[in-house]
Amino acid sequence: MRRLKADANRSADTHLIALTMPPGWDVQVYLKDESTHPTGSLKHRLARSLFLYALCNGAIHEGTTVIEASSGSTAVSEAHFAQMLGLPFVAVMHRDTSAEKIALIEREGGSCHLVDDAGEVYDVARELADRYDGYYMDQFTYAERATDWRGNNNIAESIFEQMALELHPVPEWIVVGAGTGGTSATIGRYVRLHGHRSQLCVVDPEGSAFLPTFAREEVHRPCGSRIEGIGRPRVEPSFIPDVVDRMMGVPDAASVAAMRFLEERTGLSCGPSTGTALYAVMRLACEMRAEGRAGAIVTLLCDGGARYGRSYRDERWVVDHGWDVDPYLAVMARAWDEGKWTG
């Protein structure tokens, strides 16, 4: 407990970056840069909370092998905390997880167990926990309960504190990915607790089960997602749809286009899940402009682009996946330059 609290004590809050919008915009966009955490992503907060939760509930002890099902970033952060506590760590992930993330997990002292089907990660993680007499961390179940959504320096509290002196201190929209469901659950509950008028938009990539379920549509063989970190083959237990005001589907090629666009226009490097959210942010901003509404939109820069040098940032890799990003780059450019949405 002392080591985990010391880590939190050493960590400054992450920056809230105001993007420099084109002249004439009365909608301000902010990125909360979670890539500056010691393990490089939004999941650093979650991993610390999950370890604290497990320790306080007596689930892990000296020598316990910790197992996690992950799409990469959570496993990087959990490997970091496991090494801090001197515990063995195994991440169960899809075989297509970026090589950079696998290398980061191993650098933090963890090992990777790769599976061919994203839907297998849950059962395989449980089986390994039984085999090693270990503990399955299960971020997808415990994300919403391990984090104190009422405050205690969670991401929602941080956003509203950092927005306090802005022109529009209460955002019109906060936009996040579905992921485990934990981040949207924390923000949605916090907004309601404090009576803010902010609306919560959750973005979901192709192949994920969250959006069809939210829209009460039949889910046809969801595969998870080809965008690391946010889409899932099932609706995770931590997802609380009743605190979500709107869900938006984003094509995979649009996610990649938006991450490229951000770097081209601002110099900020991000991963594909940030691209998914940013594409939705620009759509919401154009809707607000069309309605004559001023205000602010906040989203998260979940992790940096360095983790995707041999995947989403590699042109040949993108082409091999059949993604044509040019039409979506044009959508982003017109939204940014003219405030008109054509997607």
Side-chain angles (χ1 to χ4, degrees):
M1 291 296 295
R2 180 185 57 78
R3 292 177 186 179
L4 292 175
K5 289 180 178 179
D7 172 83
N9 205 40
R10 290 193 301 269
S11 299
D13 200 359
T14 58
H15 297 301
L16 186 67
I17 301 170
L19 297 187
T20 302
M21 307 303 291
W25 277 74
D26 49 8
V27 178
Q28 183 61 58
V29 174
Y30 297 83
L31 294 177
K32 187 155 177 60
D33 188 3
E34 296 292 285
S35 72
T36 58
H37 283 294
T39 54
S41 83
L42 165 69
K43 300 301 185 179
H44 190 87
R45 295 177 188 267
L46 173 60
R48 185 197 294 122
S49 295
L50 287 167
F51 270 92
L52 285 168
Y53 185 84
L55 280 167
C56 291
N57 282 285
I60 58 177
H61 311 274
E62 185 175 355
T64 300
T65 298
V66 177
I67 317 291
E68 182 63 287
S70 174
S71 58
S73 288
T74 302
V76 174
S77 298
E78 288 185 6
H80 171 82
F81 285 109
Q83 186 175 56
M84 181 186 297
L85 300 177
L87 303 175
F89 178 80
V90 180
V92 180
M93 302 182 299
H94 190 270
R95 195 170 300 280
D96 287 343
T97 301
S98 69
E100 291 88 346
K101 284 186 180 177
I102 292 172
L104 286 171
I105 292 165
E106 293 174 344
R107 188 188 72 187
E108 296 287 355
S111 61
C112 301
H113 185 101
L114 305 180
V115 299
D116 296 320
D117 183 345
E120 297 176 353
V121 295
Y122 316 99
D123 290 339
V124 172
R126 291 189 187 92
E127 290 170 5
L128 290 176
D130 290 341
R131 184 188 308 172
Y132 296 123
D133 192 24
Y135 175 67
Y136 173 30
M137 191 70 83
D138 195 2
Q139 59 167 320
F140 301 110
T141 296
Y142 295 108
E144 59 88 8
R145 65 191 73 171
T147 300
D148 185 354
W149 55 268
R150 297 168 185 83
N152 192 23
N153 195 34
N154 68 35
I155 194 165
E157 183 178 60
S158 177
I159 287 171
F160 281 95
E161 286 180 352
Q162 291 177 318
M163 286 292 294
L165 299 181
E166 300 302 309
L167 179 62
H168 306 287
V170 177
E172 290 290 311
W173 287 99
I174 300 176
V175 181
V176 299
T180 62
T183 301
S184 61
T186 296
I187 293 173
R189 290 160 158 175
Y190 185 90
V191 165
R192 281 156 177 75
L193 176 67
H194 291 277
H196 296 307
R197 58 177 171 77
S198 301
Q199 296 184 84
L200 176 63
C201 176
V202 174
V203 294
D204 209 29
E206 294 177 36
S208 178
F210 288 98
L211 178 58
T213 303
F214 184 82
R216 294 181 172 83
E217 298 172 356
E218 186 177 351
V219 181
H220 297 285
R221 291 186 313 228
C223 59
S225 170
R226 295 188 293 176
I227 303 300
E228 283 187 24
I230 53 175
R232 303 299 307 164
R234 69 176 193 182
V235 177
E236 304 296 352
S238 284
F239 181 63
I240 302 177
D242 289 342
V243 303
V244 177
D245 298 290
R246 180 174 177 180
M247 284 201 73
M248 194 180 297
V250 177
D252 292 340
S255 298
V256 178
M259 65 182 280
R260 289 186 182 179
F261 185 86
L262 180 68
E263 187 163 10
E264 290 170 2
R265 293 299 181 104
T266 70
L268 294 171
S269 173
C270 71
S273 62
T274 302
T276 308
L278 186 63
Y279 193 77
V281 164
M282 293 308 298
R283 177 176 173 179
L284 292 170
C286 289
E287 289 177 2
M288 288 175 63
R289 294 200 73 193
E291 295 165 2
R293 291 191 292 124
I297 303 175
V298 178
T299 192
L300 310 179
L301 200 163
C302 301
D303 60 5
R307 296 183 172 189
Y308 307 98
R310 286 181 278 178
S311 54
Y312 300 91
R313 298 185 77 196
D314 181 84
E315 181 63 31
R316 174 48 53 192
W317 187 91
V318 171
V319 171
D320 288 346
H321 277 68
W323 294 334
D324 181 6
V325 302
D326 289 340
Y328 298 105
L329 284 170
V331 170
M332 290 292 292
R334 188 160 188 198
W336 185 277
D337 296 333
E338 303 177 32
K340 296 181 180 179
W341 187 252
T342 57

